[in-house]
Amino acid sequence: MLGFEPGDDRKLADWPTLVRYYQALAGASDRMRYRELGHSTLGAPFVALVISSPQNLRRLDYYRELNARLADPRGLRTPKDATTALREAKTVVLITSGIHSNEVGGHLTPAILAYRLATDTSADTRAILDNVILWLVPSLNPDGVSIVTRWYNRTLGTPAEGTDPPELYHHYTGHDNNRDWYAFTQVETQLVVDSIHNVWHPQIVHDIHQQDTDGSRLFLPPYLDPVEPNVDPLLIDGVNALGTDMAWTLAGQGKTGIAINAVYDAWTPARAYQHYHGGVRILSEAASANLASPVDIPFDQLATRGRGFNPRERSWNFTNPWPGGRWTLRDIVTYQTDGAYALLENAARYRDRWLANFLTVEGRAVRGWKGWPYAYVIPRQHQDSGGGLATLLGILHRGQVEVRTALHPITLGAQRFAAGSYVVVLRQPYAGFAKALLEPQRYPDLRLYPGGPPLPPYDVTAQTLPLLMGVTAVPSRDSLRIGLSPPVEPPAANLTYPGFAGPDVPRIGLYRSYVAPMDEGWTRWLFDTWKVPYVSVVDSVMRAGKLRDKFDVVLLPDESPHELLDGLPKEYPAPYAGGLGADGVKALRQFVTDGGTLIALNDASRFAVEQLLLPVRNVLEGVADDEFYAPGSIFRMELDANDPIARGMPTQSIAWYESGPAFEVLDSSAVRVVGRYPAEADKVLLSGWVLHPERVAGRAALVEVKLGTGRVILFGFRPQYRGQSIATYPLLFNSLQLTAK
Ligand SMILES: [Zn+2]
């Protein structure tokens, strides 16, 4: 059917071929049904299979209903209701694969797993089919399957064989598609959350990934600390037990190189929707090859950088090192398929416990956790011009959080909120989801050793949506003692900004590097969503110069100076190798001198400062992590309200800080400071983690530098971070409108 055995070296399938395979398999088996949930960003069919015994499949609606009852114990009227549901229900498992499309084992493993479940007659498989309802999403990113497969086949046998494609493998987000599981900005996330998570309430979610080539052969949970504090402890126990059980099973089959409790922490909710919805989320990370091409890794070249274990040494969480040697696509799909099967065996064997614990978790959430606020109050805004309030309420709604409105005014201490204010009571099934998103984060101060360098988080450290979206949300310790409405729908967000329609719209060039930084994709997503017209500009166009004839504004998304300048290595064919180069730098300088506006975001600001010799200094240049550190945090930022870039903004705002520069002004006649961090160091951090904030206290975060008749706007932060920092969108939108056409 595929024309090769999944796992064969150098063989990948594109998405249409895989879809036909799943259709044929489901057509031939009474153990599975094929469903199309919708369409991907680029219009490909978005597919799921539901797999169980033929008897269970005939009563799917009944089992969905039972599981929904356990998910919200408020509907269970008598203890007998609960007993019946627990006795009859099946463990619901969701297995998702292929979200990161260069992790190509994930394209094929679901095909092998589905085939095994469709055809195997062993008692183990029968037990799985009888006790489990499996939702299998064979790719969370169908577009990327085709993007990567096309590139791989095109470069086979050339020096670029096995390299990543010179474009994002998700149209807007690239690798960040896996960081969207609370913001729900992308259609793929929305489809899975709306049609599987929220309908089937899986007790177990298993997401299949790959990691670097030279670490462990497979990572399985337990995760490292820190664990986000709003996750029910019983779910962490479930993660620990299940991951360890999978590792134990695979070790019993003779597989080596399995690490648990290493590398990956459980802090951000961005990857773990189910941790806030009653289920566990099991990540697996198999070692990669070079896409579908095998690699050879001698034992002494296994990398020791991974946190929590050493791949060359035995330890309690890495009991049997892999001896090194050849690693192939077959190895990857074997580890992944057998891992997923081990998970399903556990789900079947411990059906009673998974369901009982699920009910316990939801029961606790409904009763409320000691020490949690009773509710959050979110006042209405006279004008939700940025769409922040509507977006925030939309996120809570999609996450199945009940939002009500106050029938009377609310008084909290000295604060008074009008009737009609939104109220989120933290006694409901998914209260933890709301709390994790509404409260400021206090990331623990983790160090390599006492007083030593910081231990980096796996992802970022903050997600406080009210700060990111410019919304007020006030916790109330006690019951509000007023009437509340039934749950309400969120208002619609109006996602337009003045000045981007009509004859005078600025001509915007958005630099599109072949290195494919995610921030470029997020910028495109922002522009497409907010209907900001733009043209993508590649290296050849930049290097050719005469940019002022074409554009009023050129925007460099967040990308390192080295990548901007040098681009992809010479293994890549034309036109992909090389970056902006000296000609691109010259063209940009000319563009600004001729009156254009150059906007540089985050790390790209360092490039602009260095290459255009701007009279500002990055005070963090060369500063080591133990002297300053903030790996994705929300800072306070003070704005000059009179500056056109800050038009419509409050004087107190935020900045999504993520390893960017902070500026000292060297020539105040040429540089205007638009935004700066507070002068008092202890006021800098609003949410997340910072070490030595005094390094940036009082420093400029956003400046405008005059050069010739034009200007360079330097953002030391990410004003459009992952589609979430709505509070600072106007700074970017206003910057785009500074040059008259
Ligand atoms: Zn991945």
Side-chain angles (χ1 to χ4, degrees), residues 33-71:
R33 289 181 188 170
Y34 172 92
R35 296 279 165 85
E36 234 172 75
L37 306 183
H39 289 92
S40 68
T41 301
L42 298 180
F46 196 95
V47 167
L49 296 172
V50 54
I51 303 176
S52 195
S53 71
Q55 304 88 285
N56 292 346
L57 288 180
R58 278 195 291 274
R59 304 179 72 200
L60 267 187
D61 288 342
Y62 173 65
Y63 290 116
R64 176 173 45 76
E65 168 58 28
L66 280 180
N67 220 37
R69 253 190 265 168
L70 294 171

Side-chain angles (χ1 to χ4, degrees), residues 99-100 103 175 178 209-210 285:
I99 192 165
H100 293 150
E103 302 167 5
H175 193 83
N178 193 37
H209 284 258
Q210 285 173 219
E285 296 270 0

Side-chain angles (χ1 to χ4, degrees), residues 213-280:
T213 55
D214 56 358
S216 70
R217 295 304 91 192
L218 184 71
F219 161 81
L220 290 167
Y223 299 107
L224 291 171
D225 274 326
V227 174
E228 204 280 328
N230 296 298
V231 183
D232 188 301
L234 191 52
L235 293 179
I236 302 306
D237 295 327
V239 167
N240 295 347
L242 178 53
T244 309
D245 183 46
M246 291 164 71
W248 187 30
T249 304
L250 295 176
Q253 298 164 358
K255 293 185 176 65
T256 59
I258 300 167
I260 61 172
N261 194 233
V263 185
Y264 305 90
D265 63 45
W267 179 258
T268 174
R271 302 187 302 267
Y273 184 79
Q274 214 56 17
H275 281 178
Y276 303 86
H277 292 83
V280 303

Side-chain angles (χ1 to χ4, degrees), residues 342-379:
L343 175 138
L344 290 168
E345 284 187 295
N346 181 295
R349 187 177 301 128
Y350 297 110
R351 185 196 67 96
D352 302 7
R353 196 178 302 168
W354 283 112
L355 293 172
N357 286 356
F358 179 54
L359 182 60
T360 300
V361 167
E362 298 302 11
R364 287 166 167 178
V366 166
R367 286 193 298 278
W369 282 86
K370 205 165 168 250
W372 285 22
Y374 175 81
Y376 273 86
V377 178
I378 303 173

